[in-house]
């Protein structure tokens, strides 16, 4: 299957993600905008994902919640800018546990010969925001992120 | 809380001079004078960078005779790159599920109701066959 390419240049507050899919872009768009479909793939494997709101229109908002097996929840939310379409989606993205650190994500669905390349370009307010959000694994759920953070802090404490 | 520690590590890595110092230290321990040599900055400026790196746990320093030797502490650096790799794996898993969903959506005779029902059952597909023939 496709290879996921992630580019995160040092010192630049961007992340680029690229992946090719064996499907037309209409289906990619549906998988991103149908609440029942997006819940089947977007959430981290170990968590249950609930789509609380997904108002697919210019100015519409979305909110997703991840539940871990101990019932802890992590909320994510954002707003669509411009009409989401098979060409792409422009939206804000915010982890509610880290409020104010909002990023801007553009998703482009580029179809050729029945195959579609998805390109995600995420812009953060600072390099620290970008690195902090990746490093703490917030996309993977907070507890997992904190566990890794605790392990690192433990090592740092021993080194210092 | 712990987030402050994280900010310190990534703040230390955000500066290009400090990354160059870390790169030099991968070749072996070095004195302040040796570390300052490739840069157009003073030894006190290099010392300030070393202090930031030391506070982040990325280097340690010890006195050898009259010189202060800096030593690379690789583990926090490995962790920093491992996180990006973990992030990539997370998207890989996610996109593998999307692949399976897209196959289901394109199967003849599968309507919306069928797709919804397929949810939990489509995890853990065994097909890795396509990986071998690249290029």
């Amino acid at each position: 299957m496709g290879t996921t390419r992630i580019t995160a240049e040092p010192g630049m507050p961007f992340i680029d993600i690229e992946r090719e899919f064996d499907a037309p872009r209409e289906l990619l768009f549906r998988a991103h905008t149908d609440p029942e479909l997006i819940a089947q793939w977007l959430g981290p494997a170990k968590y249950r994902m609930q789509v609380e709101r997904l108002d697919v229109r210019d100015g519409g908002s979305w909110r997703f919640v991840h539940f871990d097996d101990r019932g802890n929840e992590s909320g994510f939310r954002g707003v669509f800018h411009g009409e989401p379409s098979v060409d792409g989606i422009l939206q804000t993205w915010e982890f509610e546990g880290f409020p104010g650190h909002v990023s801007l994500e553009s998703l482009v669905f580029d179809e050729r010969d029945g195959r579609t390349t998805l390109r995600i370009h995420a812009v953060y307010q600072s390099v620290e925001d970008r690195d902090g959000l990746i490093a703490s694994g917030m996309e993977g759920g907070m507890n997992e992120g904190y566990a890794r953070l605790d392990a690192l802090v433990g090592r740092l404490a021993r080194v210092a | 809380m712990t987030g402050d520690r994280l900010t310190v590590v990534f703040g230390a890595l955000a500066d290009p001079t400090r990354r160059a110092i870390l790169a030099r230290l991968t070749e072996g321990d070095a004195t302040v004078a040796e570390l300052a040599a490739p840069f157009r900055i003073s030894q006190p400026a290099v010392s300030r960078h070393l202090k930031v790196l030391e506070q982040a746990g990325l280097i340690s320093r010890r006195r050898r005779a009259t010189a202060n030797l800096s030593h690379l502490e690789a583990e926090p650096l490995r962790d920093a790159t491992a996180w990006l790799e973990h992030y990539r794996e997370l998207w890989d898993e996610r996109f593998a599920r999307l692949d399976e969903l897209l196959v289901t959506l394109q199967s003849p005779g599968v309507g919306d109701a069928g797709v919804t029902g397929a949810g939990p059952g489509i995890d853990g597909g065994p097909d890795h066959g396509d990986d071998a023939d690249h290029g």
Side-chain angles (χ1 to χ4, degrees):
Chain A
M1 279 303 191
T3 309
T4 306
R5 285 173 41 188
I6 295 200
T7 313
E9 295 285 334
M12 304 282 274
F14 312 128
I15 291 178
D16 287 279
I17 301 171
E18 190 176 304
R19 172 65 143 77
E20 191 179 72
F21 296 90
D22 187 14
R25 62 182 184 167
E26 282 78 10
L27 284 186
L28 261 297
F29 179 70
R30 253 183 79 194
H32 279 82
T33 52
D34 179 322
E36 285 182 348
L37 297 186
I38 199 168
Q40 290 180 35
W41 68 271
L42 186 64
K46 284 182 284 183
Y47 298 79
R48 186 168 66 80
M49 173 176 158
Q50 182 185 312
V51 178
E52 189 180 275
R53 189 167 69 240
L54 186 57
D55 185 9
V56 185
R57 61 177 176 86
D58 185 4
S61 67
W62 56 268
R63 183 170 189 268
F64 305 150
V65 184
H66 298 164
F67 297 91
D68 71 9
D69 48 15
R70 283 179 292 182
N72 300 305
E73 48 184 87
S74 314
F76 303 84
R77 62 178 178 160
V79 174
F80 295 110
H81 289 249
E83 192 68 34
S85 76
V86 294
D87 291 326
I89 295 169
L90 183 64
Q91 64 182 15
T92 53
W93 188 98
E94 182 183 28
F95 169 57
E96 292 173 355
F98 201 29
H101 298 264
V102 181
S103 59
L104 182 65
E105 283 187 356
S106 72
L107 290 74
V108 172
F109 306 115
D110 185 6
E111 181 181 333
R112 271 167 220 195
D113 304 323
R115 298 176 65 84
T116 302
T117 302
L118 166 65
R119 292 192 186 88
I120 304 175
H121 179 63
V123 180
Y124 298 82
Q125 293 178 67
S126 65
V127 174
E128 288 76 15
D129 267 21
R130 180 196 71 172
D131 295 348
L133 282 163
I134 295 179
S136 55
M138 283 167 184
E139 291 245 355
M142 281 313 288
N143 292 321
E144 199 188 335
Y146 279 141
R148 281 201 305 280
L149 201 51
D150 287 344
L152 172 73
V153 169
R155 275 194 295 275
L156 288 175
R158 282 198 298 278
V159 168
Chain B
M1 40 166 283
T2 47
D4 295 342
R5 257 307 192 184
L6 194 66
T7 306
V8 170
V9 173
F10 280 96
L13 291 173
D15 182 273
T17 303
R18 288 197 287 273
R19 286 201 302 273
I21 289 172
L22 291 175
R24 163 64 184 82
L25 289 175
T26 60
E27 297 163 13
D29 295 358
T31 64
V32 175
E34 285 166 342
L35 291 172
F39 303 108
R40 293 174 168 277
I41 55 176
S42 65
Q43 289 193 21
V46 168
S47 291
R48 280 196 293 277
H49 283 306
L50 291 175
K51 196 169 177 187
V52 173
L53 291 170
E54 188 175 28
Q55 282 169 349
L58 291 163
I59 65 164
S60 58
R61 287 194 281 180
R62 61 196 160 86
R63 187 163 284 282
R64 167 73 52 84
T66 56
N68 235 330
L69 277 184
S70 293
H71 173 76
L72 180 71
E73 296 293 340
E75 203 163 340
L77 205 55
R78 253 201 305 274
D79 285 337
T81 47
W83 282 334
L84 186 60
E85 180 53 26
H86 175 85
Y87 188 70
R88 201 186 64 79
E89 284 167 12
L90 193 130
W91 278 97
D92 252 352
E93 285 170 21
R94 187 176 278 180
F95 287 149
R97 288 195 298 274
L98 180 52
D99 278 332
E100 292 176 9
L101 174 63
L102 291 167
V103 167
T104 311
L105 289 173
Q106 292 180 96
S107 305
V110 176
D112 283 356
V115 170
T116 303
I122 60 175
D123 286 332
D127 53 321
H128 299 104
D130 291 357
D131 287 343
D133 44 358
H134 265 289

